[in-house]
Amino acid sequence: MAQGQIRKALSGYYYVYDGAQLIQCRGRGVFRNRGESPLVGDIVEYTLETEGSDGTIQKIMDRQNELVRPPIANIDQGILVFSVKEPNFNTILLDRFLVVLESFHVHPIICLTKMDLLEEHEREELQGYIKDYESMGYTVLQTYKGEEELIERLQPILKGKTSVLAGQSGVGKSTLLNTLIPDLNLKTGIISQSLGRGKHTTRHVELLEVCDGLLADTPGFSSFDFDDIEKEELGACFPEMVQVAENCKFRGCLHLKEPKCAVKVAVEAGEIREYRYKHYEQFMQEIMDRKPRY
């Protein structure tokens, strides 16, 4: 059987790249019976009945990782696109995205758009947040409309990696892709002033060759869920907590009401930002309130 990678999924078809061409394929019915589904990014084995006919995906190879929203597999890094204005920068939404990527062992990169729209006092406030996230170990890119050096700055980040581009609707993902791939001509979403968010402009998931790497644009969405994160795992998704958690008195400390918790001490000392800890508490409550799965 031939082998390739699913580069696009659309209307029930999977487009498999075999190193030379895209083959339009269907998935075997057995996948549906098993509750499995091929994903963009999957390495698969497929067969062709005749030359030029549609193919059939026979086997999905083991995955490095997979995301549900967006539905994609074998991702090296996630570029989280957040506008600083229209819609405004939102730390709790950013932290939701970061936590989910961390839980799937996908390396996050923060890309801030529309920096040119900020007033001076807004810029100063934002720089404080940027320093916070950089101190946690995250790469933060600040981008401007019409920035000529953007491709040069993204080249070393994208090269040799499979990256997912994700974020709220209206934050500039399509504009960013149009900059990277001028021939793509993606329709740029118009911001809905009444809702404060953009209209969905992307309808399917596709891996595109960009800067000697692969980049997935994904349908616009507003949040990630914590359905696959257990309460004992949440702390590991906050890098600054990981650095001090080994000093907690109790093994398996959830950093809530336990005595001699090193994380809470670090929060009180200002070593861990209070807003990050509050987000941790909120996410933990959400996980604990989740209905049990049967």
Side-chain angles (χ1 to χ4, degrees):
M1 285 186 285
Q3 190 174 102
Q5 181 186 43
I6 298 177
R7 292 287 179 89
K8 180 170 69 171
L10 183 63
S11 302
Y13 285 99
Y14 304 96
Y15 296 84
V16 177
Y17 182 68
D18 66 356
Q21 59 182 332
L22 279 177
I23 309 296
Q24 181 173 282
C25 296
R26 289 280 196 182
R28 291 180 64 199
V30 69
F31 294 135
R32 185 167 55 253
N33 297 336
R34 294 174 183 168
E36 300 176 358
S37 179
L39 298 177
V40 170
D42 272 334
I43 305 300
V44 298
E45 291 183 346
Y46 70 94
T47 55
L48 287 174
E49 288 189 12
T50 59
E51 188 67 28
S53 68
D54 287 352
T56 302
I57 295 175
Q58 301 290 345
K59 182 179 180 181
I60 302 170
M61 310 305 285
D62 290 342
R63 292 168 177 160
Q64 170 186 329
N65 52 38
E66 64 180 275
L67 299 178
V68 178
R69 294 184 62 193
I72 194 166
N74 300 318
I75 294 297
D76 296 313
Q77 57 189 15
I79 300 175
L80 300 178
V81 185
F82 273 71
S83 62
V84 296
K85 219 169 183 183
E86 300 178 10
N88 293 339
F89 182 63
N90 185 326
T91 57
I92 191 166
L93 186 58
L94 173 59
D95 286 346
R96 289 185 73 91
F97 280 36
L98 290 171
V99 163
V100 171
L101 288 187
E102 293 280 5
S103 73
F104 285 103
H105 306 290
V106 176
H107 178 65
I109 294 171
I110 302 168
C111 179
L112 302 180
T113 64
K114 308 183 185 180
M115 290 291 296
D116 47 292
L117 298 183
L118 291 178
E119 302 289 343
E120 187 57 37
H121 69 281
E122 295 172 320
R123 191 181 303 277
E124 291 178 3
E125 180 182 0
L126 183 70
Q127 289 301 324
Y129 286 119
I130 290 173
K131 289 180 181 178
D132 288 347
Y133 284 99
E134 288 180 336
S135 71
M136 300 168 203
Y138 294 116
T139 297
V140 182
L141 294 173
Q142 303 175 53
T143 69
Y144 303 78
K145 184 177 181 180
E147 182 182 352
E148 296 180 357
E149 296 82 16
L150 181 58
I151 294 179
E152 293 179 15
R153 291 205 290 142
L154 286 172
Q155 175 83 31
I157 292 173
L158 298 174
K159 185 175 182 179
K161 301 288 187 181
T162 298
S163 308
V164 61
L165 190 69
Q168 271 184 299
S169 297
V171 297
K173 298 197 309 298
S174 293
T175 300
L176 183 60
L177 270 176
N178 283 334
T179 301
L180 290 168
I181 315 174
D183 294 336
L184 199 60
N185 289 324
L186 284 180
K187 179 183 176 183
T188 300
I190 300 174
I191 297 298
S192 169
Q193 297 295 340
S194 61
L195 297 177
R197 54 187 170 86
K199 297 178 180 178
H200 299 305
T201 57
T202 313
R203 299 301 179 186
H204 65 276
V205 181
E206 182 174 0
L207 279 173
L208 305 167
E209 294 185 0
V210 180
C211 297
D212 299 319
L214 293 173
L215 178 64
D217 182 32
T218 62
F221 54 92
S222 58
S223 68
F224 273 130
D225 297 320
F226 299 142
D227 291 345
D228 296 312
I229 303 176
E230 301 301 329
K231 64 181 187 293
E232 296 83 4
E233 301 168 337
L234 182 61
C237 300
F238 285 74
E240 70 274 38
M241 293 187 183
V242 173
Q243 293 179 4
V244 300
E246 62 182 17
N247 296 321
C248 290
K249 180 178 180 180
F250 296 102
R251 188 174 182 179
C253 181
L254 295 180
H255 320 307
L256 296 174
K257 297 179 180 179
E258 298 90 339
K260 296 186 179 180
C261 169
V263 168
K264 288 191 291 184
V265 170
V267 174
E268 293 172 2
E271 297 168 3
I272 292 177
R273 291 290 179 252
E274 187 175 0
Y275 68 88
R276 284 275 290 178
Y277 181 70
K278 286 182 177 179
H279 295 168
Y280 170 82
E281 288 182 306
Q282 183 173 328
F283 299 162
M284 179 65 78
Q285 192 62 53
E286 186 175 329
I287 291 170
M288 295 174 73
D289 288 344
R290 185 176 63 205
K291 292 181 180 179
R293 285 173 286 186
Y294 298 101

